[in-house]
């Protein structure tokens, strides 16, 4: 395996390649194959991008047809036929059935770009500066989104102060169930020295933060408190959205109506980049034309594949499969945790984002390494990397799912012996 070209010429910043020390050469649905011909089951799916698998054939066909027809592959924010198809399909499949009249704002194609735009719009719309974000939240790497990200492993590289964020504990963290109400009460006191926030920014299921699942009640409380304070309620659905948790949005059915929803990752379907915020019209109206630009807002291939991706959500068939597979994952993790009851491991998750909190980053790393040897790709997350998060493509065949869970179970056994 020759990886020397990367080691010589690519930046030290390389991260995932250190976890997966091989050179991948092809991929199909939930499998990646390296140049030695070893096949890996992918339980990481590009950090939650490849919800519809590697090289999804339906999307591939549509993209090839688009390329053959000389479709417009880059369009800034000019009108194109492919963007029209995407916007109208998204409206018909996602917004209209939910009675949502949010507007679609495109920006640079990463999640961080989406969060930056949301923060900017919230501050613009309210004339306020501070945004409430939560412990263990992950919102991106650019300075504004990094300020909202909680993990010091990322924050410490900022080089400048990360400001204008108020940090409250997430529901599942110590003090999390009461903190929002206490904060609201404190801010209401004109002598508190606190200022009113522009927005509350929250993930309904924290992904990078360790797969922490918020309840509908807690999220509704944040929404109510935000609106009582004249602040916006923003849900970052960049990783937990687009079907991952068994519904299109991670907060579907919870009686929530966010002012802004940030989307990216799986939205482009094929791994083709695109980010989009859903802004309530009265808030969106605060923008002036061109106020927030981005060269890569009009990605033709992403619109084409992203439009095909919406076909999975025209009825509940696909999402029911996601929920069933999620149950298979959860049961297996629960069985593993019960087999090793003395370890006090915890199983958490919703839909096809399931996790085993081992409480020990070094151990989770060992499991990840053993899994890699056994032909399984996983990515630890949470404080110190102690949580083994499973996010396979939603389209994974059942036998690959079972085989992947077998490999994981074996890797855990081996890691326990080596430890
Ligand atoms: N928000 C959430 C919830 C995420 O999981 C991520 C990426 N892990 C981001 C924002 C940032 O997305 P990107 O890496 O595309 O900038």
């Amino acid at each position: 395996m020759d990886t020397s070209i990367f080691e010589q010429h690519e930046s030290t910043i390389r991260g995932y390649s250190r976890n997966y020390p091989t050179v991948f050469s092809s991929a199909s649905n939930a499998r990646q194959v390296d140049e030695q011909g070893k096949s890996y089951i992918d339980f990481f799916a590009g950090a939650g991008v490849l919800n519809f698998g590697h090289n999804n054939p339906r999307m591939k066909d549509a993209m090839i047809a688009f390329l053959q027809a000389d479709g417009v592959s880059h369009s800034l924010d000019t009108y194109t036929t492919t963007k029209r198809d995407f916007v109208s399909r998204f409206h018909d499949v996602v917004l209209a059935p939910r009675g949502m009249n949010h507007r679609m704002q495109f920006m640079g194609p990463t999640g961080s770009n989406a969060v930056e735009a949301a923060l900017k719009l919230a501050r613009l719309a309210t004339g306020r500066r501070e945004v409430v974000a939560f412990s263990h939240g992950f919102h991106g790497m650019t300075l504004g989104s990094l300020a909202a990200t909680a993990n010091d492993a990322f924050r410490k590289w900022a080089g400048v102060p990360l400001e204008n964020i108020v940090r409250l504990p997430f529901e599942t963290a110590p003090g999390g169930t009461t903190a929002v109400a206490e904060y609201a009460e404190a801010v209401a006191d004109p002598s508190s020295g606190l200022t009113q926030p522009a927005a509350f920014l929250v993930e309904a299921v924290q992904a990078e933060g360790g797969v922490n699942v918020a309840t509908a009640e807690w999220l509704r409380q944040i929404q109510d408190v935000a609106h009582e304070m004249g602040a916006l309620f923003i849900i970052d659905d960049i990783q937990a959205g687009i079907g991952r948790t068994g519904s299109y949005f991670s907060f579907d059915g919870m009686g929530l109506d966010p002012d802004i929803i940030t989307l990216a990752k799986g939205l482009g379907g094929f791994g083709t980049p695109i980010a989009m915020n859903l802004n309530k019209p009265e808030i969106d109206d605060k923008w002036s034309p061109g106020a927030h630009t981005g060269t890569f807002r009009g990605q033709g291939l992403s619109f084409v594949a992203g439009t095909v991706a919406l076909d999975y959500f025209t009825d509940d068939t696909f999402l029911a499969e996601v929920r069933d597979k999620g149950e298979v994952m959860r049961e297996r993790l629960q069985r593993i945790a019960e087999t090793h009851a003395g370890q006090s491991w915890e199983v958490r998750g919703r839909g096809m984002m399931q996790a085993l909190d081992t409480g020990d980053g070094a151990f989770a790393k060992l499991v990840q390494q053993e899994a890699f040897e056994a032909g399984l790709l996983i990515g630890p997350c949470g404080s110190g990397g102690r949580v083994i998060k499973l996010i396979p493509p939603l389209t994974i065949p059942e036998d690959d799912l079972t085989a992947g869970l077998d490999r994981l179970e074996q890797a855990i056994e081996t890691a326990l012996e080596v430890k």
Side-chain angles (χ1 to χ4, degrees):
M1 183 75 52
D2 185 9
T3 56
S4 58
I5 191 88
F6 305 108
E7 279 129 29
Q8 273 173 33
H9 299 298
E10 199 184 342
S11 165
T12 308
I13 199 92
R14 290 171 289 111
Y16 291 117
S17 56
R18 298 173 198 271
N19 294 347
Y20 312 142
T22 190
V23 182
F24 296 107
S25 57
S26 67
S28 175
N29 202 353
R31 294 257 174 183
Q32 285 202 69
V33 181
D34 71 13
E35 57 185 359
Q36 257 67 43
K38 181 172 170 184
S39 176
Y40 299 81
I41 297 172
D42 189 356
F43 273 15
F44 191 52
V49 168
L50 296 158
N51 284 9
F52 313 98
H54 292 269
N55 283 300
N56 182 292
R58 294 195 225 171
M59 296 174 197
K60 191 160 63 175
D61 287 348
M63 290 160 79
I64 289 169
F66 164 82
L67 291 171
Q68 292 288 10
D70 282 342
V72 181
S73 59
H74 178 268
S75 63
L76 295 166
D77 69 358
T78 60
Y79 297 149
T80 62
T81 50
T82 46
K83 183 152 111 179
R84 180 166 56 204
D85 291 346
F86 178 84
V87 169
S88 67
R89 192 86 175 127
F90 191 89
H91 173 266
D92 293 350
V93 175
V94 179
L95 299 184
R98 291 170 177 76
M100 293 169 68
N101 64 351
H102 291 66
R103 296 205 190 122
M104 299 171 222
Q105 182 193 347
F106 299 100
M107 62 291 291
T110 69
S112 301
N113 277 275
V115 171
E116 290 291 347
L119 293 172
K120 197 188 272 187
L121 181 57
R123 289 173 174 139
L124 175 70
T126 59
R128 302 174 183 173
R129 267 183 29 197
E130 286 178 328
V131 169
V132 179
F134 293 87
S135 63
H136 302 93
F138 187 102
H139 301 287
M141 288 295 107
T142 51
L143 283 179
S145 62
L146 184 57
T149 295
N151 193 337
D152 191 54
F154 301 113
R155 294 175 64 84
K156 69 181 181 189
W157 303 104
V160 294
L162 296 170
E163 296 178 324
N164 303 314
I165 293 288
V166 175
R167 185 79 50 193
L168 295 183
F170 191 74
E171 182 180 18
T172 52
T177 50
T178 53
V180 172
E182 285 166 6
Y183 166 75
E185 201 185 324
V187 175
D189 177 350
S191 296
S192 65
L194 297 167
T195 52
Q196 301 272 2
F200 288 69
L201 170 66
V202 68
E203 295 159 88
V205 181
Q206 292 189 323
E208 301 300 329
V211 188
N212 305 310
V213 184
T215 62
E217 294 71 42
W218 186 73
L219 292 166
R220 275 200 299 268
Q221 187 198 14
I222 298 179
Q223 177 173 276
D224 291 347
V225 164
H227 290 162
E228 277 158 27
M229 298 173 100
L232 304 192
F233 177 55
I234 307 173
I235 290 201
D236 179 342
D237 226 15
I238 287 166
Q239 189 162 156
I242 329 286
R244 172 57 59 190
T245 62
S247 47
Y248 188 81
F249 294 119
S250 64
F251 55 88
D252 272 336
M254 294 186 172
L256 297 169
D257 185 20
D259 299 299
I260 304 178
I261 301 156
T262 62
L263 297 172
K265 289 200 191 257
L267 188 66
F270 197 79
T272 30
I274 186 175
M276 179 175 84
N277 283 353
L278 299 173
N279 304 332
K280 281 209 172 153
E282 61 276 18
I283 296 159
D284 190 75
D285 275 339
K286 306 286 179 192
W287 285 128
S288 297
H292 187 85
T293 65
T295 304
F296 292 104
R297 276 177 292 169
Q299 303 282 83
L301 284 167
S302 307
F303 288 134
V304 170
T307 303
V308 176
L310 290 163
D311 290 348
Y312 286 96
F313 303 102
T314 49
D315 63 30
D316 196 47
T317 315
F318 178 67
L319 287 170
E321 284 169 23
V322 171
R323 293 191 292 272
D324 288 347
K325 288 184 212 169
E327 209 39 52
V328 170
M329 292 161 64
R330 190 179 181 85
E331 277 168 17
R332 181 69 74 96
L333 290 180
Q334 237 140 19
R335 202 176 80 199
I336 294 171
E338 279 158 24
T339 310
H340 301 285
Q343 304 282 350
S344 306
W345 292 339
E346 191 178 86
V347 178
R348 297 193 292 264
R350 173 135 33 86
M352 286 181 73
M353 186 186 295
Q354 295 289 337
L356 183 71
D357 188 342
T358 70
D360 178 350
F363 176 70
K365 171 109 195 128
L366 210 53
V367 173
Q368 184 265 306
Q369 285 164 345
E370 293 297 339
F372 176 77
E373 288 305 316
L376 174 70
L377 306 177
I378 51 172
C381 65
S383 294
R386 64 186 220 194
V387 180
I388 297 169
K389 179 174 70 168
L390 311 183
I391 44 170
L394 308 180
T395 51
I396 189 171
E398 275 168 36
D399 47 356
D400 273 354
L401 184 63
T402 309
L405 291 168
D406 291 345
R407 289 179 193 184
L408 175 69
E409 195 165 353
Q410 188 51 53
I412 290 172
E413 296 303 332
T414 314
L416 279 171
E417 283 163 25
V418 176
K419 194 171 126 171

